[in-house]
Amino acid sequence: MRLLLFLLTLLSPVLALAGHRMDMDSMVMNENPVNLPEGCPKIAGDKTITVKAGRKFAGNFPGAVFAYDQQSWDIPPCTRLTIRFINKDHIRHQFMVHGLPEKTYPQGMFTIEVSGPGEESASLILPPSKKTYLVHCDIAQHTEHGMKAQLKVAGGDRDLASLPGLTRPARPDTYPTRWTVSSVFLLLLALAGGGLLVWLLRWLWQSMISE
Amino acid sequence: MKYLRILAYSLGIALSLSTAWLLFPGERSEAGLLAPATLKWVPDIEDTEDFCPFEHPEWRKAQTIEGVEISESPICRPDNPYLVASVVKGTNNVTMPTLMKTRLAMDAVVKENDLDGDGDPDVIHIKLEVAELNGSSPDGDFLIPGYPIAPGLMPGIWVFVPKLRGMATIDAVSTQAPEILRAPSPPIRVEQGDTVYLTLENTHYLPHTIHLHGVDHPYARADGQGNDGVPITSEKMLLPGESRTYKLHPRQTGAGIYHCHVQTDKHMLMGLQGLFIVEENRPDNWLQTFNIGAGRVRHPSRAAREKYAQEVDLHFQSLDKERYAAIQKYNDPRLVAKAMNREYDITDADEDFYLLNGKAFPYTLRDSLIVVEADQKILLHTVNGHPHSLGLHLHGHKTTAIAADGVPLQTPVTRDVQPLLPAQRLDLVLDTHNDGRHSFGPGAWLFHDHAEKSVTSDGVGPGGDLGLVVYRQYLDENGWPKLQGMDMVPFFNRQFYQKQVPVWARSGAWEIFSDTAPLPPDRLRLILSGLSLGLALGLLIALWRSGRKLP
Ligand SMILES: [Cu+2]
Ligand SMILES: [Cu+2]
């Protein structure tokens, strides 16, 4: 028991450093402005991005309901990145990064959650290697309805699926089809083209034989 | 001559083809002298769940957290006592370590201002969100957040949930919902005379509202904002990302409902309905504002504690495969809205899944057992969330209805089928005094809606809203009922409710009732059919060759 208490006292500064903050308006988890992730010799530089979240940012993407104002960021490795996260809705939204090195970021996560209209800022030091990290809002069905983005370090290693306006969904919806005059015209044109192709092939064949 | 030959060939081909067709082995075959053997059903380990997986057995004990007395709940999966303490004291009044053991937001239940000076807070701010369970994802073929109602069954559901913080899944890798994200929309308790601010933060991608059904509330707030939750009359629908606060000051006690009033025939039946109970005003009466998953109230009101040994919420609701199909098929809200509002037709509909406190049997055994002792009086708050009436039947007991729709009955009615109309609340007293009427004595007694289809899940029984009243001596130390009936293993197999498991697969004489081994096709027919087909082919080739030789 004593040992446990002792360990807890030892750990308490670490717990404080573990970067959890929470009040009525916002929550930050795994904030990390000081600990260098493995492979980063020093902080390469400081950068701040402003990310806005809300329904109005989905306006440009038919079928999306919630979105960020940007879907992709590319940041140099080992940068200390400060995210200023602004929530424009009257509900919660999150800026959550996944897949970070678990030694520095428990569960590989970094989270800013803003409870309603308002903003919160927090920093993290990015890992050294070329990789794409998932950014999303993990409130039930928000990722699925548009609140998804990617954070690329050093250009990233791939593009994620279903980023509004940027990449196609892995499991796309299907929509009703309706024929138009131009599609009928296109079909007729293709039909004629097919006939023409036969004629062309025949002509080719005959000219080859005659040779 | 040429035509005659072609005709003869064609006739031959036609004859042999039809013989081949006629003799081809069909879907069913006769067995001959001995019928086929019985297939023994062996449960796949991967598909078979433990009866009671649970990581916090210490939650079952009676305990005091932050000064809040929490009664024991000896069932398999009791409510999180830290959550109970948080909603009793208010998420603004508990310490951070307690709140961190829940997923509640800090402003989920804010309690303040003891206006009447009787030792309990009288201004209550409650914040709700809307969550979709088992919805589709553009990222792959899975449902998220995953919420099985029974092994292998994941119907689409919408619920009101207390305002949460953090993820909507257990952790960063899982797609499963955490315990707090579940059906039914949790029963809410406030005190008579409280000033209640009920805020809906619409986190969902479709419009919703809250209508307070049978709970005293003004039609409009003092500032003119509509307060009845009805988009036809009092207010606009609450759009995605918006928030609205309903204000009430309930003067009467009793059980009401809160439910969405947008496209009510869809939204309410998708699960946007919960009990809203106004308790008597008593001194020092700290109420359990939310009862997650309904069931036993672990911190009952003063009045309930005076009169009853236990207070239990029983929420019956049902789901229709066709109603929720759109949210699992489509992601685009326009496709969902069209399919749900215009292609689905409730007048042609039938319910498929029946839930008791958000789960179907056998999951009801995990968290909806009513554990009793002899000579107790237990208050049951029942609500019928079905689109049709319900006949609540309890084996071995006759319960007494003391209030309907929040109003005490002049003459309490004691009977063993308690009828509830749609949306009706009935307060029942379960008296475990063994007198041959109120109770027939100790046992593990079933209770269920006696409309028989509701004891099935999509027609497979036992399933649906089956629950148990279990006398203490019939409960083991892990909260599992001591039953001496059928082997439960098939019910906990994910294939069972997919109709892949014979229902009597593990009975003493399974070889009489289980599936027959399939028969191989009849050999004679197989050979003859093959021969005829070969003949037809041979004739065809011969015809073709003779045709080529002719000129
Ligand atoms: Cu969000
Ligand atoms: Cu609704």
Side-chain angles (χ1 to χ4, degrees):
Chain A
M1 192 60 209
R2 256 211 185 141
L3 185 73
L4 194 76
L5 276 177
F6 175 69
L7 279 176
L8 272 178
T9 17
L10 264 188
L11 272 171
S12 59
V14 184
L15 285 174
L17 276 180
H20 287 43
R21 290 187 262 141
M22 180 174 159
D23 59 27
M24 288 280 181
D25 303 318
S26 66
M27 175 177 81
V28 174
M29 284 174 82
N30 302 345
E31 171 167 37
N32 170 33
V34 283
N35 292 327
L36 290 165
E38 214 165 43
C40 283
K42 62 181 179 60
I43 293 172
D46 275 289
K47 188 170 168 54
T48 302
I49 56 172
T50 302
V51 181
K52 295 177 190 160
R55 197 180 91 212
K56 69 176 184 183
F57 304 107
N60 292 331
F61 313 116
V65 182
F66 302 113
Y68 300 118
D69 63 339
Q70 203 175 323
Q71 280 65 43
S72 190
W73 299 271
D74 194 348
I75 313 283
C78 303
T79 300
R80 177 160 54 199
L81 180 66
T82 302
I83 294 120
R84 184 173 162 228
F85 183 54
I86 304 174
N87 182 353
K88 294 284 189 185
D89 282 342
H90 290 254
I91 58 169
R92 283 187 301 143
H93 283 305
Q94 300 160 346
F95 180 94
M96 192 179 272
V97 187
H98 282 276
L100 295 163
E102 300 200 5
K103 265 189 189 169
T104 321
Y105 300 95
Q107 280 207 62
M109 285 162 54
F110 165 86
T111 309
I112 306 177
E113 174 174 307
V114 178
S115 198
E119 67 170 275
E120 180 61 89
S121 296
S123 312
L124 79 164
I125 302 172
L126 294 174
S129 44
K130 192 175 164 72
K131 199 181 161 188
T132 305
Y133 295 92
L134 163 68
V135 174
H136 73 145
C137 174
D138 204 333
I139 292 167
Q141 289 286 326
H142 281 208
T143 311
E144 290 69 22
H145 287 85
M147 212 166 256
K148 186 176 176 188
Q150 60 187 5
L151 175 63
K152 291 180 165 181
V153 172
D157 57 350
R158 64 190 173 119
D159 282 309
L160 303 180
S162 354
L163 302 178
L166 216 60
T167 57
R168 297 164 63 92
R171 179 186 171 278
D173 277 326
T174 55
Y175 297 86
T177 313
R178 182 188 286 161
W179 286 77
T180 58
V181 177
S182 66
S183 38
V184 172
F185 183 70
L186 207 66
L187 182 71
L188 289 175
L189 210 69
L191 263 166
L196 208 70
L197 206 68
V198 172
W199 184 81
L200 207 75
L201 282 172
R202 240 181 83 132
W203 177 80
L204 253 168
W205 177 248
Q206 276 175 355
S207 60
M208 269 167 75
I209 286 176
S210 64
E211 263 171 40
Chain B
M1 200 58 202
K2 183 177 124 190
Y3 293 109
L4 207 64
R5 184 165 26 188
I6 292 177
L7 193 71
Y9 269 116
S10 308
L11 205 67
I13 291 170
L15 264 174
S16 44
L17 265 183
S18 36
T19 316
W21 171 257
L22 277 175
L23 289 176
F24 195 77
E27 270 179 34
R28 306 184 75 88
S29 309
E30 285 178 18
L33 186 60
L34 278 185
T38 312
L39 274 185
K40 182 167 182 151
W41 178 73
V42 184
D44 185 336
I45 303 289
E46 292 238 317
D47 264 343
T48 308
E49 300 177 4
D50 288 341
F51 294 174
C52 176
F54 192 59
E55 288 158 13
H56 299 289
E58 75 280 4
W59 284 3
R60 295 181 188 131
K61 291 188 305 235
Q63 48 202 290
T64 303
I65 295 172
E66 306 237 353
V68 176
E69 278 175 46
I70 294 157
S71 73
E72 71 154 353
S73 181
I75 58 176
C76 164
R77 298 174 75 98
D79 287 343
N80 176 353
Y82 297 93
L83 190 141
V84 173
S86 300
V87 298
V88 170
K89 283 193 81 170
T91 47
N92 59 326
N93 294 324
V94 284
T95 63
M96 206 47 91
T98 297
L99 194 62
M100 293 308 276
K101 291 192 182 79
T102 75
R103 295 208 181 213
L104 294 170
M106 227 176 153
D107 53 346
V109 183
V110 170
K111 299 192 174 181
E112 55 191 19
N113 296 7
D114 183 3
L115 296 176
D116 55 8
D118 69 347
D120 58 56
D122 298 312
V123 178
I124 317 288
H125 301 261
I126 300 169
K127 286 190 175 170
L128 296 172
E129 297 180 338
V130 180
E132 175 169 306
L133 306 174
N134 300 326
S136 67
S137 167
D139 292 324
D141 275 317
F142 56 89
L143 301 172
I144 187 166
Y147 174 72
I149 56 161
L153 291 182
M154 295 173 73
I157 303 174
W158 293 340
V159 281
F160 291 115
V161 272
K163 187 172 182 179
L164 304 178
R165 69 180 151 73
M167 288 184 289
T169 51
I170 290 174
D171 55 36
V173 283
S174 172
T175 56
Q176 295 299 301
E179 190 54 36
I180 193 170
L181 251 186
R182 59 165 294 168
S185 299
I188 294 178
R189 280 179 163 73
V190 299
E191 201 183 29
Q192 183 182 16
D194 275 353
T195 299
V196 180
Y197 295 90
L198 182 63
T199 300
L200 178 60
E201 298 190 352
N202 187 5
T203 48
H204 194 236
Y205 57 83
L206 295 179
H208 303 291
T209 61
I210 292 179
H211 169 65
L212 287 158
H213 172 136
V215 184
D216 178 27
H217 66 278
Y219 178 76
R221 284 184 3 180
D223 61 6
Q225 182 204 291
N227 202 44
D228 192 36
V230 180
I232 307 165
T233 53
S234 65
E235 66 197 64
K236 300 269 188 296
M237 302 186 298
L238 192 63
L239 302 180
E242 294 180 346
S243 131
R244 182 172 299 151
T245 300
Y246 300 91
K247 188 180 172 187
L248 62 153
H249 187 79
R251 290 163 290 181
Q252 305 283 348
T253 62
I257 307 180
Y258 65 106
H259 69 78
C260 177
H261 217 294
V262 177
Q263 293 289 319
T264 319
D265 61 303
K266 271 78 72 173
H267 289 210
M268 186 177 171
L269 296 174
M270 282 293 288
L272 294 176
Q273 47 164 300
L275 274 165
F276 195 105
I277 297 169
V278 182
E279 302 270 8
E280 286 173 38
N281 190 0
R282 295 294 173 92
D284 200 23
N285 196 15
W286 292 72
L287 298 178
Q288 186 181 328
T289 308
F290 286 115
N291 184 17
I292 303 298
R296 181 164 183 171
V297 183
R298 293 191 74 176
H299 186 84
S301 66
R302 289 268 166 205
R305 270 182 276 172
E306 279 164 22
K307 290 179 239 169
Y308 304 102
Q310 297 182 43
E311 189 178 15
V312 178
D313 298 332
L314 299 177
H315 190 133
F316 292 84
Q317 69 188 102
S318 50
L319 303 164
D320 176 6
K321 282 190 287 191
E322 284 75 34
R323 190 190 300 130
Y324 69 70
I327 70 164
Q328 299 191 332
K329 188 173 175 193
Y330 304 122
N331 199 252
D332 193 318
R334 297 165 298 179
L335 298 175
V336 172
K338 185 179 183 192
M340 220 180 222
N341 296 338
R342 289 183 284 155
E343 287 160 16
Y344 174 73
D345 178 353
I346 193 171
T347 63
D348 295 335
D350 260 318
E351 305 297 298
D352 297 295
F353 297 108
Y354 290 85
L355 308 184
L356 164 64
N357 292 346
K359 303 274 175 81
F361 178 89
Y363 281 179
T364 50
L365 301 183
R366 288 182 181 167
D367 57 15
S368 273
L369 292 189
I370 303 176
V371 180
V372 303
E373 320 233 3
D375 299 313
Q376 281 188 329
K377 281 197 170 62
I378 295 139
L379 179 60
L380 309 175
H381 289 283
T382 63
V383 57
N384 177 9
H386 297 166
H388 49 66
S389 60
L390 180 160
L392 178 55
H393 173 58
L394 170 52
H395 293 208
H397 300 78
K398 293 184 199 294
T399 56
T400 305
I402 55 165
D405 300 340
V407 181
L409 292 172
Q410 295 294 323
T411 335
V413 190
T414 302
R415 51 181 163 192
D416 60 29
V417 177
Q418 293 284 6
L420 283 91
L421 292 170
Q424 192 146 62
R425 288 84 61 213
L426 216 51
D427 292 354
L428 304 175
V429 176
L430 167 62
D431 182 349
T432 56
H433 178 59
N434 182 0
D435 60 3
R437 171 173 291 164
H438 296 91
S439 166
F440 305 168
W445 303 97
L446 278 184
F447 66 92
H448 53 90
D449 174 10
H450 219 299
E452 303 305 336
K453 62 182 173 179
S454 58
V455 296
T456 74
S457 291
D458 199 20
V460 180
D465 58 22
L466 281 175
L468 285 185
V469 168
V470 183
Y471 282 68
R472 202 53 180 256
Q473 57 267 50
Y474 286 87
L475 192 78
D476 75 17
E477 64 281 4
N478 296 317
W480 201 252
K482 295 180 195 165
L483 306 175
Q484 44 200 38
M486 296 167 83
D487 185 347
M488 290 275 174
V489 168
F491 312 144
F492 281 93
N493 184 280
R494 295 194 192 103
Q495 301 298 318
F496 186 82
Y497 293 102
Q498 308 296 335
K499 313 184 182 188
Q500 301 299 311
V501 180
V503 297
W504 297 317
R506 303 266 277 196
S507 77
W510 59 269
E511 65 281 2
I512 305 180
F513 320 115
S514 273
D515 290 351
T516 57
L519 280 179
D522 184 82
R523 271 187 212 153
L524 189 66
R525 289 181 66 149
L526 200 68
I527 291 167
L528 289 177
S529 171
L531 278 176
S532 315
L533 197 67
L535 193 67
L537 274 173
L539 285 172
L540 198 71
I541 291 166
L543 174 66
W544 180 60
R545 291 181 64 157
S546 69
R548 271 183 61 184
K549 268 182 226 154
L550 270 179

